[in-house]
Amino acid sequence: MDPCPFVRLTVGNLALKIPVASKPARSVVHPSSSPCFCKVRLNNFPLQTAVVPFIPPENQFPDGHFHTVAATFHLGKSDLDKLAGKSFFAAKLCLTISIYTGRRGTTCGVSSGRLLGKVSVPLDLAGTESRTCTVFHNGWISVGKEAKGSSAQFHLNVKAEPDPRFVFQFDGEPECSPQVFQIQGNIRQPVFTCKFSFRNTGDRTQRSRSLQSEACTARSWLSSFGSERERPGKERKGWSITVHDLSGSPVAAASMVTPFVASPGSDRVSRSNPGSWLILRPGDGTWKPWGRLEAWRECGGSDGLGYRFQLLPDTSGGMGAAGIVLADSTLSSHKGGKFVIELGSGTNGRATPGSAASPACSPRSSGDYGYGLWPYSMYRGFVMSASVDGEGKRSSKPSVEVSVQHVSCTEDAAVFVALAAAVDLSIDACRLFSQRLRKELCQPQDSL
């Protein structure tokens, strides 16, 4: 499998120094009482915001400081071609950063922050997909009005690194058992097939002719991570999807282990009682758990799909069943968006509708983004993203991007495809119970 070229443009190591004025003045910012944040804009990409920490005026930004990421832009081949400005009249590409004092947010529709100044960093992205690293700026820039040495100093690092990815696309909705193609430019090559099915509620095993000895182990795993017991009220349960390679061998699976149940007195799956999927991969003649996805329907005006994905440890090493959260956010139930696993992205778990992202502080409680924890040390930077269509989708074809550094075999790629399918199916599983599902998602007894 050949990857597609991608470039990861990061903005990080932000800091602000403001000289302390001898006399109070309205134009002077006092770090002790004025929080600061910035807005980062690149062409037509979504605007990103980040907190800017203050440092004392006499301090220098330490050399060799760990690179903290405040904003990230992912550029594919088509993005690079557009941003390269091949037209003779195209303007010079710049990254624009607006620095504000005051707290983020709006009051009565008016932004609560006060603009301190703007910084523009010229970018030349030509050839960045083949270079090791391109640094466009690293150091201090003066911002604001320079009056008697009172101008503020803003520190930032802007760099671009190649981030090649494997790109896959479903040839239809996961519940329709589609083929999955690998995409490279204009080339579409089939690599997987998916099989959607309903698991018998009296049998918790995932059967496959290639996995002869899985019955006992799969039963114990599914019973420990979820429940198939009959529950009163409205519920959706028993969904599963198996990913096969072109030879027909199963290489990954996603199984609904906790039913999606309407909370008492309502028509929705609540955050306090989410449904869940177990993402599995084959190993030693049986299915082994790799991850757990929980999903629910958010309340309030957003009415979005809330989700949490945990990477599960290998219990053969003597560890417990508790996992580490790699993604915890929301996306729009109606418009869809992107499910993203990216560690250290600086998004702090906040995401605008249609563009959900994983928290920069994940894995939770690790303190070092999980870089030193086995087996999570391999998961850093961009891991994967999956496009998700909203409710009422018609002939949607979800796509999946996986970083090359996380794929060493077919099963590695397949498990991310299975996870993407589970996220897509969760949109339907969390649909209001007053709404009907398409026939492919209804068991025979449900349609009677």
Side-chain angles (χ1 to χ4, degrees), residues 4 23 34-35 47 111 170 172 182 283 312-313 326 331-332 359 383 385 444:
C4 295
K23 295 181 180 181
S34 301
L47 185 73
S111 176
F170 290 79
Q182 184 188 354
L312 299 176
L326 295 189
L331 55 84
S332 172
V383 179
S385 69

Side-chain angles (χ1 to χ4, degrees), residues 269-281:
V269 180
S270 68
R271 184 188 186 101
S272 60
N273 188 29
S276 68
W277 300 79
L278 195 59
I279 314 300
L280 306 137
R281 59 183 298 164

Side-chain angles (χ1 to χ4, degrees), residues 268 271 296-307 329-336 351-354 390-391 427 430 432:
R268 68 177 64 229
R271 184 188 186 101
W296 59 89
R297 185 88 174 214
E298 293 283 8
C299 296
S302 64
D303 199 34
L305 176 79
Y307 63 83
S329 192
T330 62
L331 55 84
S332 172
S333 296
H334 299 292
K335 297 181 180 179
T352 57
E391 295 176 343
I427 288 282
C430 289
L432 297 178

Side-chain angles (χ1 to χ4, degrees), residues 113-137:
R114 183 172 69 87
L115 181 65
L116 177 65
K118 292 185 178 181
V119 170
S120 293
V121 179
L123 303 177
D124 182 4
L125 297 173
T128 50
E129 68 272 19
S130 58
R131 302 175 195 163
T132 302
C133 181
T134 303
V135 179
F136 298 105
H137 182 87

